[in-house]
Amino acid sequence: MTNQSYPRNNDLSCEEANVLFEYRDGELYWKQRGKSRQMGRPAGGINGDGYRRIKINGKLYAVHRLVWVMHGNDPVPFVDHINGDVLDNRIENLRAATHSQNCMNRRVRFDSRSGVKGVNLRKGKWHTCVILNNEKYSAGTFDRKEDAVAAVDKLREELHGEFARS
């Protein structure tokens, strides 16, 4: 189970989505007028979590999930933004992923003191850590941050493959 503040709605078909929206370069535009919608205007808004969402019949839908389905793909549990930009909903920036793969592609945490995923300063040494399938892997402990960054990036590439993100 994922920790999310909205229900993951996968029940809009490709046909239904294409009746409601026009897709242009990662954006969805309304095809029909409605109570709070105008034809030709961008659909939805950005929620507190940074994702663009659209309300349809009282349900919130993530735009990237609608774009995924509108291009003939089956609904999947996770749709990953390849470049990490959650507002870049171009179909070529989206891919199906597992929960684990989606986590691999996360950005560095906002409260990271090193500014680098998997690199932490403890007792004057730079420690490294990469997680895969709930197991921690170390690339070593280093005197210089640059060495730790290079080592953790190499390990992440090996373990996470195409989903690796520094």
Side-chain angles (χ1 to χ4, degrees):
M1 192 82 198
T2 61
N3 183 11
Q4 57 189 17
S5 60
Y6 75 98
R8 186 177 290 129
N9 292 309
N10 283 328
D11 59 351
L12 207 64
S13 72
C14 177
E15 294 77 20
E16 291 169 318
N18 279 298
V19 166
L20 291 172
F21 307 107
E22 176 186 350
Y23 169 84
R24 280 188 263 146
D25 198 31
E27 297 286 337
L28 296 182
Y29 296 86
W30 290 109
K31 282 186 177 179
Q32 304 173 346
R33 287 195 190 286
K35 189 174 185 178
S36 61
R37 44 176 121 139
Q38 297 176 358
M39 284 176 49
R41 298 289 308 250
I46 301 171
N47 276 12
D49 61 1
Y51 287 82
R52 184 172 294 279
R53 304 219 189 271
I54 301 172
K55 190 174 262 190
I56 306 167
N57 298 326
K59 291 182 181 179
L60 271 179
Y61 292 83
V63 168
H64 62 283
R65 296 174 97 33
L66 292 173
V67 168
W68 181 257
V69 170
M70 286 177 73
H71 283 82
N73 299 300
D74 290 329
V76 293
F78 294 91
V79 177
D80 181 52
H81 291 83
I82 297 168
N83 68 7
D85 180 353
V86 298
L87 294 177
D88 183 355
N89 294 313
R90 294 172 297 125
I91 189 63
E92 57 269 17
N93 187 45
L94 303 177
R95 62 183 167 194
T98 64
H99 180 259
S100 178
Q101 290 167 329
N102 203 31
C103 290
M104 291 174 196
N105 196 25
R106 285 187 180 158
R107 293 181 184 180
V108 65
R109 289 176 49 114
F110 75 94
D111 60 351
S112 168
R113 291 197 282 164
S114 72
V116 181
K117 264 176 46 172
V119 175
N120 297 295
L121 182 62
R122 290 191 307 255
K123 297 182 181 178
K125 298 278 188 181
W126 294 99
H127 297 260
T128 61
C129 180
V130 176
I131 298 173
L132 178 65
N133 299 325
N134 292 324
E135 286 198 41
K136 292 182 180 183
Y137 296 84
S138 174
T141 302
F142 302 87
D143 291 324
R144 294 175 4 127
K145 180 179 176 181
E146 296 79 18
D147 296 335
V149 171
V152 83
D153 283 349
K154 182 178 182 219
L155 179 60
R156 187 175 289 109
E157 285 287 330
E158 291 171 14
L159 295 175
H160 293 176
E162 69 176 290
F163 288 88
R165 171 180 296 284
S166 295

